[in-house]
Amino acid sequence: YFALHEDELSYLVYDIQFYLYTNKERVRSTTEYLKIYPSIIAFGNGEFSTGGYGPSFVENWLKKRISHNQISEKPSRGLIFSKDFENEFMIKLKEYTK
């Protein structure tokens, strides 16, 4: 059992999920991402699922990333990490995987 909240490690997991999803699928809006999010982690039909989630935690994470220009909208790609934040994210991810 584990749960995601509004802490540094949970935000890293939200970032990983967003990064993986947006490298496969185009996300046209925050509303769209929040609508599909339950199938990404909480109620997916894969081997990995939390069985539930706190919608406000995910929404707050997304709003924070957008307000800090860490997630932006590109006309051809939809919502994606900004280049600067993607670089920061990769560095942080490498630190956790050492």
Side-chain angles (χ1 to χ4, degrees), residues 6 8 25 53 55 61 93:
E6 290 190 69
E8 182 180 341
E25 302 289 337
Y53 76 109
W61 160 82
L93 191 57

Side-chain angles (χ1 to χ4, degrees), residues 66-77:
I66 291 170
S67 71
H68 288 92
N69 297 315
Q70 295 165 325
I71 292 177
S72 58
E73 186 173 0
K74 301 293 181 194
S76 61
R77 295 196 49 215

Side-chain angles (χ1 to χ4, degrees), residues 39-80:
S39 66
I40 293 174
I41 187 73
F43 305 111
N45 60 3
E47 294 179 22
F48 187 78
S49 174
T50 60
Y53 76 109
S56 63
F57 296 137
V58 179
E59 187 173 346
N60 291 343
W61 160 82
L62 187 56
K63 285 179 180 178
K64 180 180 179 181
R65 292 288 184 245
I66 291 170
S67 71
H68 288 92
N69 297 315
Q70 295 165 325
I71 292 177
S72 58
E73 186 173 0
K74 301 293 181 194
S76 61
R77 295 196 49 215
L79 295 177
I80 59 170

Side-chain angles (χ1 to χ4, degrees), residues 72-88:
S72 58
E73 186 173 0
K74 301 293 181 194
S76 61
R77 295 196 49 215
L79 295 177
I80 59 170
F81 282 153
S82 69
K83 281 296 174 193
D84 288 341
F85 185 71
E86 185 175 340
N87 291 334
E88 289 175 36

